[in-house]
Amino acid sequence: RKSMEANNRPASRKGRKPFADDDEEDESYYLTEGEKQQLLLQEQNETLQSLQGGITRMGQMALDINDELSTQNRMIQDIDEHIDRTESRLSGLQKRLKDLANDSDRGKYCTICFLTCVLVLLFWLVINDE
């Protein structure tokens, strides 16, 4: 009977423990799966490092944009102040011109215009004589 059992066993199992191949297969399966998991972890780490680099660059870009916006905001405020001062000066000048136009003594303005024309004519004569 023992010889029959021995003959019924596959050739690879003769002289070995029963299920020894199964243990080796399980061990190699687990090693292979472990290696796959290690590779997967490594790929995930590389992806995360790449994402971290991108996020760091985006953060720096956001800080640069914030600095640029602050600078431009100060420039706009300066321009706004200059416009306000210029508007105030222009308003004063318009008031003086209105007062001048409403002045009843027009004779002095005619004299000023006539003398200005004479000055331009004399200047033109001097330039053309040379």
Side-chain angles (χ1 to χ4, degrees):
R1 184 170 194 182
K2 284 185 183 181
S3 62
M4 262 178 95
E5 286 178 8
N7 289 337
N8 286 339
R9 286 189 196 161
S12 61
R13 291 194 180 209
K14 285 187 180 178
R16 298 174 107 187
K17 295 181 189 176
F19 306 111
D21 281 341
D22 290 343
D23 289 342
E24 288 176 14
E25 286 176 13
D26 287 346
E27 188 176 322
S28 68
Y29 172 78
Y30 289 129
L31 287 177
T32 304
E33 286 300 310
E35 290 171 358
K36 286 179 184 177
Q37 288 179 357
Q38 287 295 325
L39 287 173
L40 183 62
L41 270 174
Q42 185 178 0
E43 288 176 8
Q44 288 175 346
N45 285 338
E46 290 171 1
T47 302
L48 287 174
Q49 287 175 352
S50 175
L51 284 172
Q52 180 185 10
I55 290 171
T56 302
R57 284 190 301 275
M58 285 178 59
Q60 185 60 45
M61 287 172 48
L63 291 174
D64 291 343
I65 289 170
N66 185 40
D67 290 343
E68 183 66 26
L69 288 175
S70 296
T71 301
Q72 289 185 8
N73 192 28
R74 283 191 299 270
M75 291 170 62
I76 288 171
Q77 288 174 348
D78 289 344
I79 290 171
D80 192 39
E81 289 172 8
H82 288 300
I83 288 173
D84 287 344
R85 283 194 303 260
T86 303
E87 190 175 66
S88 175
R89 288 180 189 168
L90 185 59
S91 176
L93 182 61
Q94 285 177 339
K95 184 177 183 279
R96 281 189 262 158
L97 284 173
K98 186 176 181 181
D99 290 343
L100 185 62
N102 290 333
D103 193 2
S104 61
D105 189 17
R106 298 201 187 271
K108 64 181 174 184
Y109 300 118
C110 289
T111 305
I112 290 172
C113 289
F114 175 73
L115 290 174
T116 303
C117 290
V118 170
L119 179 64
V120 169
L121 179 66
L122 289 174
F123 187 71
W124 184 74
L125 290 172
V126 170
I127 289 177
N128 284 336
D129 283 342
E130 292 180 9

